[in-house]
Each structure stands twice: as structure tokens, then as C-alpha cells.
Amino acid sequence: MTGAASTQTFRTAIVPAAGLGTRFLPATKAVPKELLPVVDTPGIELVATEAAESGAERLVIVTSPGKESVVNYFRPAPELESALERKGKTALLEKIRRGPALLDVEVAIQKEALGLGHAVAQAEPNLTDADEAVAVLLPDDLVLPSGVLSRMSAVRAEYGGSVLCAFDIPKEQISPYGVFDVTDTADPDVKQVHGMVEKPAPEDAPSTFAAAGRYLLDRAIFDALRRITPGSGGELQLTDAVALLIKEGHPVHIVVHHGDRHDLGNPGGFLRAAVDFALDDPEYGPALRTWLTDRIEKP
Ligand code: UTP
């Protein structure tokens, strides 16, 4: 652990969760998408677990008026705990205590959904002088296995500046993503970023490295966020603030993550994640596998 501790460059993680979740309507009329369960655990707990495992001590959840339940999820539930204790339900007790024990959770409010960059900016008052860099984790994006933020932290310790996460995507599938313009470093999984192109046609893509929802951002990002103007969709884009930093000579690198990812932000991606996790679940996996195999063979 000494190696990990010496390259720990952040202690606060920000999770923006103030979006409208329109792709999940009508459910998101009443339930924030971050609380929808992947098997039995909300996506926000999976992402908070990743933040805690990467060494974060504090989680600032940016949420909107009416979505307070996302933060309340991390508060202890003493009455429920007593009821489960009385019934001897120790496995369930352990499950409900897991979230609140992960790390210190604070809230920041984004009154209006004015974009991801604007959401991240709302967390600045929660920071202290010790926060020279912050991690940002998008709760829609499951990056598996956990651990990429620790690698990103080691890259910041070496190069300074900000570090983002990327996946190497086949060129013909690159169009839905933000794609990095990069040059190599001595490490094949670490590249220096010179720019970014949103949703390019395959022939216009500057590389095959696509952005994922993990960022390790130098504190300078908050100053950049104050200086950008609304971009696509009239929203303040986090990537525009990163682009401004690059333009001003601030070092930005990517770590290419080798693993899986799930997009929990739309029903199709969410279902895939739920099935993936459920197939590995000792309680539900075997029966689900049998049922799915039969179901797929039905006309
Ligand atoms: P998305 O655009 O994927 O989420 O933003 P959304 O806006 O909630 O979903 P749709 O598009 O309407 O279905 C990525 C992340 O940024 C947060 C979202 O909550 C999500 O976690 N976000 C986005 C904010 O916190 N505030 C915003 O103004 C926009």
C-alpha cells in the first residue's frame, strides 16, 4: 500500500447526479435514475464504492431540488437496523450499513440542469485548501474492474495536471463518443492529450481513444469553468473547460483502461449491466442463466 499512498493525489470525489434523466422517463418522474438497482444495489453505491477504493475520503454528490433521496441513501437507517437486528437478518444488516460506511458524503445543489460542467462547478464551495485536485465520477458510467482512478492518480503524480480515462474502441464504433487527439508517452497506456473531438465520423476521428466518465482534475478546472461559455445544447460542458486548460498549456493525459464498461444512463445499457451482474450473483445467477437460455431459443 505504500506505493498507492505515495501517489494519492486527491481525497475528494465529485459525483454529478443532478441531471433530468429523461431517457429513463417515466420512471424518473418519481425515482432518480442513480437509485435504480443493478440487481439490488443502486448505481450510485457502485460508483461510491469505486471512489472509496481509489482512496477518496469524501464524496460530494451534486444533486437537484427534489432528488435529495440520492444523498439520503447514504445516511444510516437506525430504525430499519433495529428491526433487522431483532429478526437476526445479519446479511441484510450488512448490506444496508455498507453505503453509509464507505466515505463521508456531502451534498451540493445544482438548482437547474445547466450541464455537466455547471454541475461540477457547484461542488467548489465544498472543497478545502487541501484539495489540489478532485476526482469526478459519472454515476451513469460503470468502469470495471475498479482501479483506474488509482492509475490516473499515479499519472498525475508523475506529469502533474489533469488525467482522464479512455477506452480503446474499434474505429468503426467510435462515432457516439468524445475522441482524444493524443501523442504517445513511454507507457503504452498513457497518452498526452492535445484536443478532443465530440462524436466524430470514423474517418475524422483523431484516434481510437474514447472518453469514459472518470476524471482527475486539477483545481484549475474551477477557474476554467468560470471562463467558458455555454456550448452544445446551451449547456456548460466539462470538456470545454478541459479544452481551455489544454490550450493554456496545462498538461492533460489519458489512461487507457482495459476492462468493461456499462452505460447505466439508458434502459438498454442499464438492462445489460443488470443481467451481467445478476449472472454472477450466487443467489440469482444460475436460475437466470437457465431462463435466459430458454427464452432466447423461443421464437
Ligand atoms: P447525462 O446527460 O448523461 O444525464 O449527464 P441526464 O441529463 O440526467 O440524462 P438524460 O440525457 O436526460 O437522459 C451525465 C451525468 O451528468 C449529470 C447527470 O446527472 C449524469 O450523472 N448532470 C448532467 C448533472 O448533474 N447536471 C446537468 O446539468 C447535466
Side-chain angles (χ1 to χ4, degrees), residues 16-201:
L20 299 175
T22 53
R23 285 166 294 167
F24 257 112
L25 284 170
T28 41
K29 273 170 74 188
V31 186
K33 68 175 171 182
E34 295 80 8
L35 292 182
L36 297 175
V38 180
V39 187
D40 59 5
T41 303
I44 191 105
E45 183 179 324
L46 300 175
V47 167
T49 304
E50 180 191 340
E53 284 174 359
S54 71
E57 294 160 14
R58 241 157 44 108
L59 191 71
V60 182
I61 299 179
V62 184
T63 190
S64 57
K67 283 183 82 178
E68 292 83 4
S69 51
V70 177
V71 179
N72 292 341
Y73 176 76
F74 290 95
R75 303 214 196 289
E79 285 178 20
L80 182 56
E81 286 188 28
S82 312
L84 293 175
E85 245 161 20
R86 278 196 305 277
K87 292 180 181 168
K89 306 245 180 199
T90 45
L92 289 179
L93 252 180
E94 201 189 306
K95 280 188 181 182
I96 68 159
R97 284 177 175 156
R98 215 170 42 196
L102 280 173
L103 67 188
D104 293 332
V105 172
E106 293 175 20
V107 62
I109 297 288
Q110 185 189 29
K111 289 199 190 110
E112 231 185 307
L114 297 177
L116 176 59
H118 182 259
V120 169
Q122 306 316 302
E124 192 181 13
N126 294 67
L127 304 184
T128 69
D129 291 346
D131 291 302
E132 290 175 10
V134 293
V136 174
L137 295 87
L138 302 194
D140 280 356
D141 217 347
L142 287 188
V143 176
L144 304 166
S146 162
V148 72
L149 276 168
S150 299
R151 283 218 61 202
M152 289 159 66
S153 191
V155 171
R156 174 171 158 93
E158 184 173 353
Y159 294 102
S162 298
V163 187
L164 314 183
C165 173
F167 277 75
D168 195 1
I169 303 276
K171 203 175 171 73
E172 64 280 6
Q173 295 168 24
I174 203 83
S175 295
Y177 297 99
V179 182
F180 296 108
D181 181 6
V182 294
T183 49
D184 290 340
T185 69
D187 182 335
D189 290 334
V190 178
K191 316 270 177 200
Q192 184 171 2
V193 181
H194 304 285
M196 203 174 163
V197 181
E198 284 297 336
K199 301 184 178 17

